[in-house]
Amino acid sequence: MKRLALWTGVLLLLITAVAAVAQPPPGAGGFQMTPEMQKQIEAWRKWREAHKYTFQLTSTLRALIEIDKDQKTKLTPAQAKKILAVLQPYRNKPKMTQDDAKNALKGIKAALNVDQLNAIARIEAERRNRRGGFGGPGAGAGGGMGMRPGGPGGGPGGMPRGGAGGAGARPGGPGGPGGGFRMPDPSRMKDFNPFKPDTSTPFGQRAAQMWNEFFKGLQQRAAGK
């Protein structure tokens, strides 16, 4: 799968960045979180928990990319066809419910063998250990997917410079670190579909392109390429 190993975790990096902004870096002694920021961070944590199956789905797809690099756990054309059949119905839906995400997860796992499922479980356990319990599903999404500092987004992990700008954050706005961060509203992202990003922003356009490349790679594998 020539192009399967692309940045499928980009949206998860965005959400993690929004949550992580409340965590000051070592030595940032002057940082103080306001009550309003605490309220917004809590709203995002609740939102993330309410969409846990969506995050599990994208986390599984990221792990799928990792196991595909190993000849022992590489996807077969038949498996790629089954996974495509599971995911394609959600490509153009504006929303993805938790039932949708659970059904997609079930279908993907049904297409995999025991060795592949065990490999995915190991990868996800390693991710949890690396992030030390912080960040929720999707934290540290850059590992092993071609993400790198100074990538297409210009910032770490391919994100746009200025942090989570694609989600409505505005540098220079009131409140937040450096007097410049405004949290987006999680209620506007209820039942978000990771395969259908908002292409009205440059960040969303890049995310859409990345998913297009992911599905193109899956289609190539299904065709035996």
Side-chain angles (χ1 to χ4, degrees), residues 133-207:
F134 175 77
M145 291 184 294
M147 285 185 146
R148 61 194 183 279
M159 285 187 61
R161 293 200 183 279
R170 293 289 181 270
F181 188 87
R182 185 175 68 197
M183 296 286 283
D185 182 2
S187 67
R188 298 178 62 184
M189 295 181 66
K190 186 178 186 301
D191 290 335
F192 79 102
N193 183 348
F195 306 136
K196 191 71 173 176
D198 179 7
T199 55
S200 66
T201 67
F203 183 84
Q205 292 166 11
R206 287 192 291 272

Side-chain angles (χ1 to χ4, degrees), residues 10 13-18 21 153-156 158-171 180-181 184 203 206:
V10 64
L13 268 177
L14 171 62
I15 302 307
T16 302
V18 172
V21 72
M159 285 187 61
R161 293 200 183 279
R170 293 289 181 270
F181 188 87
F203 183 84
R206 287 192 291 272

Side-chain angles (χ1 to χ4, degrees), residues 1-78:
M1 244 175 318
K2 295 180 181 178
R3 300 189 179 186
L4 183 58
L6 286 169
W7 303 304
T8 63
V10 64
L11 298 180
L12 302 181
L13 268 177
L14 171 62
I15 302 307
T16 302
V18 172
V21 72
Q23 305 297 319
F31 180 87
Q32 286 188 344
M33 189 187 302
T34 66
E36 180 61 24
M37 287 181 65
Q38 291 176 333
K39 181 179 178 181
Q40 291 173 328
I41 291 294
E42 181 60 25
W44 272 104
R45 285 175 177 159
K46 289 180 179 178
W47 171 85
R48 189 171 56 203
E49 177 61 25
H51 296 84
K52 63 182 179 180
Y53 291 110
T54 306
F55 282 110
Q56 286 179 23
L57 173 61
T58 51
S59 178
T60 297
L61 293 180
R62 288 168 49 224
L64 202 64
I65 291 170
E66 290 297 305
I67 70 168
D68 192 70
K69 297 175 183 178
D70 189 333
Q71 288 294 327
K72 296 178 182 178
T73 53
K74 190 174 183 177
L75 290 179
T76 67

Side-chain angles (χ1 to χ4, degrees), residues 45 64 77 83 93 113 115 120 146 149:
R45 285 175 177 159
L64 202 64
I83 293 171
K93 286 187 175 182
N113 60 40
D115 288 341
I120 286 174

